[in-house]
Amino acid sequence: MQYQEKFRLFILGLFLITGLNSFAQDKFTISGHVRNSQNEPIEGVSISLEGQLMSSLITGQDGSFTINSGKREFWIIFTPFEKYKTRRVFYTGSREDITVYLTDIDLEAGSDMVLDIGLEQERRNVVSSIHTINTRDFDYLPYQSIDQFFQGILPGGLYTSHSGLPGSGGVLNLRGQTSLFASNMPLIIVDGLPLEHGSIYTSQVTGGNYNPLSVIAPQDVSGISILRGASTALYGAKGSNGVILIETLKPRDINTTIEFSFKAGMNSLAGKELPQLNARQYKTLANEILASSGSPEEHYPLLLPGLYIRPEDDGYIRYSHDYNWQQEIFENSYFRDAYFSIMGGDAIGRYALSVGYLDHDGVFKNTGFDRFTSRFTGTFNMFEWLRISMSANLVSSTSLFKASGLTKETSPIITSLAKSPMQFPYQFGANPFDAIIRQLTEIEEVDEFGISNPKAVMELYEAKSSNTRFLTSFKAEGNITRDLSMNSLVAVNINSLRQNAFLPNQGMELYDNLEVWNSSKTQTSNLFSIFNDNYLQYRKSFKNIHHLHVMAGAKWMSNHFEEDVAIAKNLNPNDQFVFLQAGSNLLNEIGGDIRNWNWLSAYSRINYTLLDRYLFEINASGDLSSNIGREASDVFLINNIPYGAFYSGAFSWRISRESFLLNVSSLEDWRINLEYGVTGNDDVGTRNNRDYYRFTLYRETSGMIPASAANTALGFERSNFYTLGTAISLLGNRFRFSFDYHNTAISDMLVYERLDSYLGNEYYPANNADMVNRVYEFNVFGRLMNAGNLTFDLGLNLAKIDNEITNIAGGEIVTEMPGFSVINRIGEKANSFYGYSYEGVFSTTKEAHAANLLNRFGLPFTAGDAKFRDISGPDGEPDGIINDYDKMVLGSGRPDLFGGMHVSISYKNLSLSTLWQFVYGKEIFNYIRYQNERMADLSNQSIATLRRWSYEGHETDMPKAKMGDPVGNSAFSSRWLEDGSYVRCQNIMISYKMPERFTFFNDLTIFGNVVNPFTFTKYLGYDPEFSYSYNTFVQGADYGLMPHSRRIMLGVKIGL
Amino acid sequence: MLNMENTEKKHRFLFLTRNIHFHGFKSVRILVFALIMAVSGCEKFYEPDLGIGIKAEDYFNDESEFRAAVLGLYSLQQDLVEQLVILGELRGDLTVITDHADNDLREIYYFNVSPNNKYASPRGFYRLIIACNMLLNKLEEKHPNVKDPDALINNYDRYYGEVLCMRAWAYFNAARIYGKIPYIPSSIININEIEKFVNPPQTPGNPIVSNNAFLDLFSIIDTLTLQLKTKVKAVGVNHYILNADATWDVTIWTNYSRLALIGQMYLTKGDLAQARASFQPIMFNNDPGYGIRFGLDNTFAFNAWKNILTTINLNEHIYVLRFNKSDRQRHELQNLFSNLLPNSYQLKPSRQAVLYWETIWSGFRLKTDETTGNTILDPFFPGKPGDFYRGINVSYGYFKGGMQLTSSLVDSMLNYKRRESYIDVNNIMDGVDTVITKYSVNKNPFDWDANFILYRAAGVHLYHAEILTALYLIADAQNILNREYRGVGGNLGVRGRVGFANRLPPPYNTNWADDSHIEARISPVYLRDPFTNQVVGSMNLPGSADVQNYLEDMIIEEKARELAYEGERFYDLMRVAQRRMKTDYDKGKRFLADKIAARYSEAEAAMMHERLMDEKNWYLPFYIGTEAIDK
């Protein structure tokens, strides 16, 4: 009771104060100084009071000013000349002498407008965690899509690109992994339209990933905001992974501006080629493996003729080489990027138009990405109260790539490493004369061990992905009254993706269990999405004390996705007829999928600021998703249809505006932020919540069976988060520092629970796993030097993520992936590697006998075999058998710590900058090394295998060579895991802007850069940065995609 | 726009204000309207079309949808084929593993199964059972007259009968594999139904599938045979309505296959009279549409026998699951058995199996040795070794360097053996792989689509012979085995149609009587050397039980030749063992243990014999959670 009374008194007091203020009619005189971040006075800054008429006032030579006001509390606006940014300062009356620091024009300022959902607001008033990205560099770097710019600069955001293939995109996690089976990727909204997740597209070619962001030319982007905090609740069921708002070409000015830029450069392999055995070493190893195979010695020449061939034999020349096959797959290549835009208009209509063309080759031979983009936006002031804008975006791109990774027949890396160095890419004829004639014309056929000729992989194998995307939106903004406005957006997203692959006969291993000599594949995926968003917003300020901004609306989105696959096999062996109709009827395959999903959300937001000191934000949304089951829990029902409720609140205390800090004038802003909220993820499968039937085949006809164990209670995954943070900026934002602690408890994660066998279906989808992410984020920026024309800036960010599974169905779920296993176990990190602990090699028979270990088939481990730790058995005791009971958590593919550093120096018109990025505490399953050190077949191997155990008593860490590896020395174990930490210089960039007096252009900038010049890592593969697909389970498994290239580039940008 | 610009500022302001109100309200109304539209259209919006699936509530509207649902069950049955053959054969005496066998197969081979063994999971059976339950529910719900025995028979009754047969078959097979299985009476296809079933509302947290809800093999058989005899009004629809293909008739459940299943169940339980009554209508049929079927006539005699494996015929096949690569229906059996790339050759015939085929003789004569008075082999008619119609290069074959040894080469090898010329034998046999070819006859190595025969005439005949033997109708049983048995012309008997028991192929087709038919006489039965066919002794069968046992042994031997690798071997051995266990418990068990232990290496044989003497090991463990239930 007492508290309530006190609260009432407090409210009354507030009213009294505000009331009194409005009655006070005294004149106040304030004097002060305006200074820059060097603490030097600024002369000539014009000063005005917001909402009050006064004669204009300009600071004097010492930066001082004196003003009179009729009110006790008011905003002072400082409008400097072009070197500094405009600043508003809220004056609350108690001081008579104030010092105001202004921000340099090229620094981030509190008065900058930040793109947020539905509105722009001043950076200083943003309550929820929103990070913006400086789009200035977008013109200068040779990146194909904007996601690459996120790397190393987002505190708490980890971007891992899929591969070095241009345009392939990557995986972006904001504040850690957020789901096991549902999407982890943030929702991307381009000019108000949510894009689909790239993970909905499947690929017939292994290692093919689609990147929805590749449809936007980086130069088109005018603003990016990354929302991770409370404001994501406005996107309810799609908000839990964060939201990325992208704003493209925005014609702000009525002057016509024309911009043209061109850049070009060269790619080269950034890492080193892997050291492989030479022909002589290979022969020794192959002999050893043959000897271990148990097949009679007289069969060896049949198995491996090249080993026994003598110079006088026919065909000797085929086996007489010492060839480095890696040189067949890599090449230096080129790229170019041209971009043109024009913007302009008048008071009634404004437009922007851009076209761009990019052609970027990969570092693998015959790969690359080319893209044509065009974008138009127009804004028309129909009436004073109504503005209509329209944008259209047409993009067409083609990506040429290679099936990498797991498909051993077609993977450039696996074939080039495994191919015997004795052989040569081209065929030789039988007689020497013929040999000379035919050399370098006919590609050599596949060898005896079934390893494709890398030359054929690079030159005859084809995989192409063509993409045509049309995005269009129509937006109306109307003012209903002075404070109330309405927005309405209708947008359509049409995407067509077509993949063609031809797996040739010549030079290649047979496919599909040896049945197929060549194959042609086509896949088309079509998405049609329509989106509509309508909202009202109300903005009102009351006497400079209360600022209220209320927004309410509804949006819906309907998606139709169709995918068709056709595969023709055994076409004419001459590889000339590559079309689908030419395949063998018996082997044709047709497949595909159709999915529909819908989303509807009613949402509301309230922003309220009191006295410029206390900032509140409340978000709420009610979401309908067609993926959610009717009987889901934690939903509310309307018309018997489930809606998820998502909400958040944020509070920010601008402590720097409290009276006890008002006199610390160098303290520009100091805030303490609190956020709390619940957001959701509805990506739990489009059919998991329905009872449905699927077709099946019997004889010449089809039948119907129940499809799966549907879960009509399937609900949203939920993120329950809170954030504590503080941010300080000093001396006109010259120094900024922020720290956030972010805790997300993700509950109700989708898992596929195993059913008892008497229940028929093997798995059912259920919301039965929880996980927590504890994220510590630091971000520092400082202009360390600001002397005359020389500036020196340093930005640093660092994030530490503790991830832990807190609950999962059955306590743990082990998932088998190609080559390895992952476990999700309570108390461990999500998707931890799970395998044996490798402890070296038995050097002597005696030692092996003493250990007395058997593998899971009952074969004994002997001298030269791997020594795995026998941890447990069925009775909880070590049982002398190495099997599932002896697997342990071996680490995780997700880093504990990552961040970046940005340094930039500028002198007059010349600027030099560099961006560094690091990840630490990440394990990599090196699948390529696993293939390259197994010594279980006649593939060529790494020089590391020279250390292989080869005699009794040999102390080494490399087991003996053995055909077929019957005892399982190469089973998934800590042997294949490596420290994946790395420090990488992302780019070094230099640019020079021509002084205007030398040119007739508005702007002429010449720039150059080196991308990926150095990487420091202990990792033994080509590249420690890769992400095989969007699937969370394979993060950290290096299946040998194209490594990132080193790029050297020059460019020019002209503005008229 | 132009109008507004021409008006005076004041008017313009007023004009705008009016319009603001008008348009503003309109906008709000549009917004509200859009919201209402969105919410009212929600049902459709919330449940968009499924794309490639059909929503459960939109299904079962007409007969064709029921028909498709029934056909769906066949594909679930197809999924079980590989498991059935592995469990039925790899636990029997005719199959062994090769070096290439994977761990799951090894575990089955050694009767030591771990929880995740893919061949040991009952999931496939229950998928089928649950799909059947769902369909039975729908039929009862939408066409209640399927349960009315007096109503006129229509297609729904036939579907109902088909589904009941299918479910009974799944239960029966699961029960004889696991011994004790849960009986699930209701439809549990989604997780709600599963929840309600596992945790019924009245006893929350107390799973209904406790040991009480498990039925053992005999209770399952009682339940199922009753169902199949009382609830089934008709079986088998013309699924081939659109493509008049008579082979459809034996690729679905029909009344004959229903009877075969009932007979098989009764026989397993040991109810001989009922079993005989079920098999008899199959053997002594006169099909109104077809005439006399299942007669073991010369359709599949001699060289034509192997066509049983490649064609579907109304005269031999009672129920076949048809596979066809071009219809995308395949199984892995060819991969497991064949040694030709890309097949993995994980299983091969045991030595006993090979001997069953290679040591059977035709065309020999016994005669009395004038000097000693002993019965000896007539040197002029020493006989022809080997079963070349069912065995060599049909059920199994020898491969050397990827090539199959021809029948004539194997024939000469066997003749070298008869003459004890082992150097020549070795010349032929050095480095050969012995390969099960039953699922690759006339197939190329990539086909993997041999049909799977569930019931066929010879099998039913052999069952019948077994019953007659047990009923001590010895002569009838012999007739079924050897030659004609029902006075209908053209009946050859199981052995007769492949040239044993008096019916010899050229050049042995003489008028001479021979001794190669099975003759269970009181005395004597001549014992012959398996490789030379020389008479090495004789034995008397003094009592009726001895005659029965002898004949039963002969039937089991004959089944190996006729039905090897068709998935029934282990159950045949188990059934005979159990029958003998009734009179002599230990001896009965030893029948099975001896036969199966003989296939292991010497080092393993003793241990495996001991393992097989424990009847519990004849059944696979059934896991609930991680616990195997008690047998």
Side-chain angles (χ1 to χ4, degrees), chain A residues 296-311:
Chain A
E297 211 161 322
E298 60 268 27
H299 291 180
Y300 294 1
L302 278 177
L303 292 165
L304 187 52
L307 270 186
Y308 301 91
I309 202 160
R310 293 161 304 174

Side-chain angles (χ1 to χ4, degrees), chain A residues 829-983:
Chain A
K829 276 184 163 188
N831 293 344
S832 296
F833 290 118
Y834 190 58
Y836 303 136
S837 166
Y838 180 77
E839 299 187 323
V841 171
F842 290 116
S843 78
T844 60
T845 308
K846 199 174 152 198
E847 192 189 346
H849 269 297
N852 192 23
L853 290 178
L854 302 176
N855 78 354
R856 62 194 192 95
F857 307 118
L859 294 172
F861 287 89
T862 57
D865 281 331
K867 203 193 294 178
F868 294 118
R869 196 197 302 171
D870 182 17
I871 295 167
S872 184
D875 308 320
E877 299 281 316
D879 59 351
I881 300 169
I882 300 297
N883 56 14
D884 286 353
Y885 294 104
D886 304 304
K887 290 185 176 170
M888 58 184 274
V889 172
L890 299 172
S892 154
R894 305 269 176 170
D896 301 319
L897 197 65
F898 54 87
M901 181 181 78
H902 184 258
V903 179
S904 105
I905 301 167
S906 77
Y907 178 73
K908 289 186 176 167
N909 288 342
L910 182 70
S911 75
L912 177 71
S913 70
T914 178
L915 175 68
W916 290 68
Q917 177 234 349
F918 81 95
V919 302
Y920 174 79
K922 146 185 169 174
E923 308 291 327
I924 295 178
F925 166 48
N926 191 339
Y927 179 84
I928 296 303
R929 187 161 67 85
Y930 160 74
Q931 292 289 346
N932 208 11
E933 291 181 10
R934 282 170 65 214
M935 299 177 288
D937 55 25
L938 297 174
S939 302
N940 194 21
Q941 300 282 289
S942 151
I943 56 163
T945 57
L946 294 175
R947 298 201 305 270
R948 66 186 176 272
W949 186 92
S950 35
Y951 53 87
E952 183 77 17
H954 189 176
E955 299 273 352
T956 178
D957 61 346
M958 181 74 60
K960 64 186 171 193
K962 183 97 170 77
M963 183 67 118
D965 189 20
V967 75
N969 289 330
S970 57
F972 179 64
S973 69
S974 49
R975 180 178 171 198
W976 308 119
L977 291 182
E978 291 179 33
D979 181 359
S981 308
Y982 67 92
V983 178

Side-chain angles (χ1 to χ4, degrees), chain A residues 382 384 480 515 534 588 596 598 628 630-631 687 691 693 696 698-699 704 710 712 756 760-761 857, chain B residues 1 12 20 31 43 45-46 49-50 54 56 68 75 103 123 190-192 245 251 325 328-329 342 625:
Chain A
M382 304 294 286
E384 262 184 30
I480 297 167
E515 185 171 16
N534 310 292
N588 284 344
N596 296 300
N598 295 331
I628 299 306
R630 244 174 232 283
E631 280 122 48
R687 283 192 282 262
D691 270 340
Y693 303 138
T696 171
Y698 185 60
R699 290 208 55 165
M704 184 287 299
T712 49
D756 265 335
N761 279 303
F857 307 118
Chain B
M1 202 75 186
R12 183 178 164 186
I20 284 163
L31 186 71
E43 195 57 44
F45 190 78
Y46 170 60
D49 280 346
L50 271 171
I54 301 170
S75 73
N103 198 38
R123 201 176 295 280
N190 66 35
I191 201 67
N192 272 358
D245 175 355
T251 57
K325 183 179 179 181
R328 279 163 238 289
Q329 293 155 51

